[in-house]
Amino acid sequence: MTANPTPQPFSARDYDFQTYGPCRNYIGGEFVDATSGETVAVENPRHGKPMGSVAMSGAADVDRAVAAATAAYPGWKATPLKERVQVLYRMKQLMEANLDELTWLLSHENGKTHPESVGEVLKAIECLEMGCSLPNMVGGPQLDVSRGINCSVTYEPLGVCAGVVPFNFPTMVPMWMLPQVLVAGNTFVLKPSEQVPYGSMRLAMLFAEAGLPPGVLNIVNGAKPAVEALVEHPGIRALGFVGSTRVAKIVYAHGSAAGKRVLGLGGAKNHLLVAPDADLELTASTLLASYTACAGQRCMAASVMLAVGDVQHIIDALVEKSKAMTLGKDMGSIINGPSVERITRYVDQAEKLGAKVLVDGRGAKVEGSDGHWFGPTLLDNVTPDMPAGCEEIFGPVLSIIRCKTLDEAIAIENASGYGNAAAIFTTNGGVARYCSERFEAGMCGVNIGVPVPREPFAFGGWNDSKFGHGDITGMDGFRFWTRPRKLTSRWEISSDATWMS
Ligand code: NAD
């Protein structure tokens, strides 16, 4: 296995199709092929054709990455916190300086509109900023607990840790983990989504430029076999996973059984409850943005509108706004062909079961493009037991469920197995409080369509949207990637001062 040249930056600055070099593994500071030599194509979903290729790794590659991370660990752990965090400060400057490249690369591999890509990278930078402030926040308490006896706590790294991330936020989701992981003094093996591996590759290159020593951050590309090897590897102490509920459950169960600390974030079915007194313009435009941004491929996207009482005027406005959207400009593409087929099946099935298709995105195309498209879709008269009413569709489809009362709407939200996000749209403070106290969701909003907590508030859902304890970002993230050492010291050397004196 030989080292390859460092990849060139990506040069596209518009949506025109452009190829990129192979995405290799990044181990010990070098770009290397998978042991098997196997690769698969990386598709540009807006154009529907391969823009490059990615290495497909197995257990031997994971072994190699863990060995590099293990070798780098003592040096990184011994580097003072103040110096570790300087890498993050430099990384922030580098991400800002390379914003155009990072955002256009993101649009090419993921299919987001460019403004959406800018939003994602800026949010990733906000996560870095949170990491930069950690040294000011993580000093553990110490106390003289009795005469001459002092107790203190320090938060120490775990060792080699790993992260597995999904396709829908190629730059931001790795940054949910890396700042806390690195500031804490751990070394890391990242497994990006094989559908969008380039964002992580460029992050690793920028981290190297920012002064991160070789081996502290390693990337193993691939799919299920690479993840299984990470889950089983005895050299990995903790694993963060973000993806579908089906895989999150497996990774959580197997990783925990293998003795690892695991936090697995899964899928979602988010309910937005609209009360009759909701502000018309704010509600219609916020619901539109929530269900169509990133073509609905967000774990925080609106999926169900719980329409309480007479909110027909809001639905009418939403229909009008949805029809006015220009595919390819206001909304990006779907990640791949099978996803378009899955979304289409949900809409076909809902229609057969009696739902009314108010806005129909099936078969939508962008002229001159062979990409994967699906237009904004509004389904009315959906019932909670229809698959479109209770399963994750992961596309730009909003299912409207009509409800007579707030309590009926809350009961529908509560019955969902998921628990990522829920929001209430109202101008009445009492209604807002009544609903937000009763939602079965980890991230709730009042007049907010995508209630992602801003840093330093941590990100994480409940129920089938998250497996494991705590949240993935903020201080919870720091706690997850560290272990507390409690120290009890005697500073009065006399025989009559005891541990309890
Ligand atoms: P996915 O579960 O298919 O893939 C996630 C990761 O797991 C990828 O790196 C993939 O290579 C790997 N993987 C896929 N199948 C696997 C298997 N059988 N065994 C082991 N590893 C496997 O998810 P996706 O399609 O990339 O992303 C979309 C999903 O992620 C949606 O369900 C979305 O709601 C969820 N998501 C959740 C959050 C959150 O914070 N809760 C954030 C983003 C995305």
Side-chain angles (χ1 to χ4, degrees):
M1 218 169 330
T2 50
N4 292 280
T6 300
Q8 292 298 308
F10 189 62
S11 60
R13 293 294 180 269
D14 55 29
Y15 293 120
D16 287 353
F17 182 74
Q18 186 159 317
T19 56
Y20 199 20
C23 185
R24 299 185 162 96
N25 291 339
Y26 180 70
I27 298 179
E30 292 183 338
F31 287 93
V32 294
D33 294 312
T35 315
S36 65
E38 211 188 311
T39 62
V40 295
V42 177
E43 198 182 30
N44 174 324
R46 171 176 280 266
H47 292 276
K49 53 185 179 180
M51 63 180 281
S53 65
V54 61
M56 294 303 272
S57 310
D61 304 292
V62 167
D63 272 348
R64 196 175 173 204
V66 174
T70 305
Y73 176 58
W76 184 241
K77 181 182 182 228
T79 304
L81 180 64
K82 170 110 178 126
E83 283 176 36
R84 289 201 294 258
V85 84
Q86 298 308 316
V87 174
L88 269 63
Y89 280 111
R90 290 192 290 270
M91 181 67 177
K92 171 176 152 64
Q93 288 172 346
L94 284 168
M95 286 183 74
E96 285 166 350
N98 291 278
L99 193 68
D100 277 354
E101 189 215 341
L102 292 172
T103 52
W104 279 111
L105 177 58
L106 184 42
S107 283
H108 277 244
E109 67 173 345
N110 173 278
K112 282 177 204 225
T113 65
H114 188 250
E116 288 166 355
S117 296
V118 172
E120 173 174 346
V121 177
L122 292 180
K123 179 66 194 176
I125 292 172
E126 186 175 283
C127 294
L128 262 179
E129 288 166 356
M130 163 64 193
C132 291
S133 56
L134 276 172
N136 299 318
M137 299 161 74
V138 299
Q142 65 81 30
L143 194 66
D144 280 350
V145 290
S146 55
R147 287 178 191 82
I149 304 292
N150 181 277
C151 282
S152 64
V153 60
T154 48
Y155 290 91
E156 308 214 353
L158 298 168
V160 179
C161 301
V164 176
V165 292
F167 81 81
N168 62 330
F169 283 94
T171 307
M172 181 191 75
V173 173
M175 278 300 181
W176 280 358
M177 304 181 193
L178 286 168
Q180 283 84 340
V181 163
L182 298 176
V183 170
N186 300 290
T187 56
F188 204 59
V189 181
L190 176 66
K191 208 297 284 173
S193 164
E194 66 279 21
Q195 300 184 87
V196 293
Y198 287 116
S200 294
M201 180 186 93
R202 284 300 285 133
L203 287 182
M205 289 167 69
L206 292 178
F207 264 121
E209 206 178 322
L212 193 69
V216 174
L217 168 60
N218 306 276
I219 297 180
V220 170
N221 285 296
K224 187 177 172 191
V227 177
E228 286 174 344
L230 288 169
V231 166
E232 297 299 334
H233 202 292
I236 294 173
R237 308 293 296 268
L239 182 69
F241 174 90
V242 182
S244 61
T245 289
R246 184 182 66 82
V247 183
K249 259 184 186 165
I250 299 169
V251 166
Y252 181 75
H254 292 188
S256 304
K260 292 179 177 40
R261 187 182 291 189
V262 186
L263 185 59
L265 274 66
K269 188 78 181 170
N270 304 314
H271 297 75
L272 304 192
L273 199 159
V274 178
D277 65 1
D279 181 86
L280 170 62
E281 182 50 35
L282 178 137
T283 305
S285 52
T286 306
L287 258 68
L288 178 83
S290 180
Y291 95 88
T292 61
C294 302
Q297 300 165 110
R298 289 199 284 194
C299 67
M300 294 294 281
S303 188
V304 174
M305 172 185 180
L306 295 167
V308 179
D310 184 10
V311 292
Q312 191 57 45
H313 56 302
I314 295 174
I315 294 172
D316 291 344
L318 191 54
V319 167
E320 199 182 313
K321 287 176 189 295
S322 301
K323 285 184 174 165
M325 289 198 88
T326 306
L327 205 53
K329 176 177 160 285
D330 302 325
M331 204 170 94
S333 50
I334 303 296
I335 190 68
N336 54 35
S339 295
V340 175
E341 287 163 19
R342 183 194 65 240
I343 301 163
T344 308
R345 271 198 306 277
Y346 272 108
V347 178
D348 289 348
Q349 191 183 34
E351 193 175 30
K352 261 196 207 120
L353 292 170
K356 188 171 171 200
V357 185
L358 300 179
V359 182
D360 194 347
R362 286 173 290 187
K365 289 277 168 229
V366 170
E367 212 187 309
S369 156
D370 291 326
H372 310 297
W373 302 101
F374 200 96
T377 299
L378 280 178
L379 300 174
D380 199 0
N381 298 328
V382 174
T383 55
D385 56 339
M386 286 182 195
C390 60
E391 294 175 12
E392 182 175 45
I393 301 175
F394 221 54
V397 179
L398 186 66
S399 301
I400 302 170
I401 300 181
R402 303 276 183 158
C403 311
K404 289 195 178 62
T405 64
L406 284 178
D407 285 333
E408 184 191 343
I410 291 168
I412 293 168
E413 189 279 336
N414 287 181
S416 167
Y418 295 107
N420 226 33
I424 163 73
F425 286 77
T426 180
T427 48
N428 180 319
V431 169
R433 185 162 176 157
Y434 185 83
C435 294
S436 52
E437 284 180 350
R438 284 164 177 77
F439 287 144
E440 268 294 313
M443 293 172 281
C444 297
V446 175
N447 297 318
I448 299 278
V450 181
V452 173
R454 299 287 303 269
E455 304 305 316
F457 296 94
F459 187 101
W462 290 356
N463 306 331
D464 278 356
S465 293
K466 194 187 68 191
F467 304 89
H469 176 74
D471 287 334
I472 191 95
T473 63
M475 283 306 288
D476 274 22
F478 186 77
R479 294 274 187 267
F480 179 74
W481 302 109
T482 54
R483 47 187 170 174
R485 184 197 294 281
K486 286 72 64 183
L487 177 69
T488 305
S489 315
R490 173 181 292 180
W491 291 106
E492 193 166 304
I493 311 298
S494 83
S495 56
D496 56 352
T498 71
W499 174 74
M500 286 295 287
S501 61

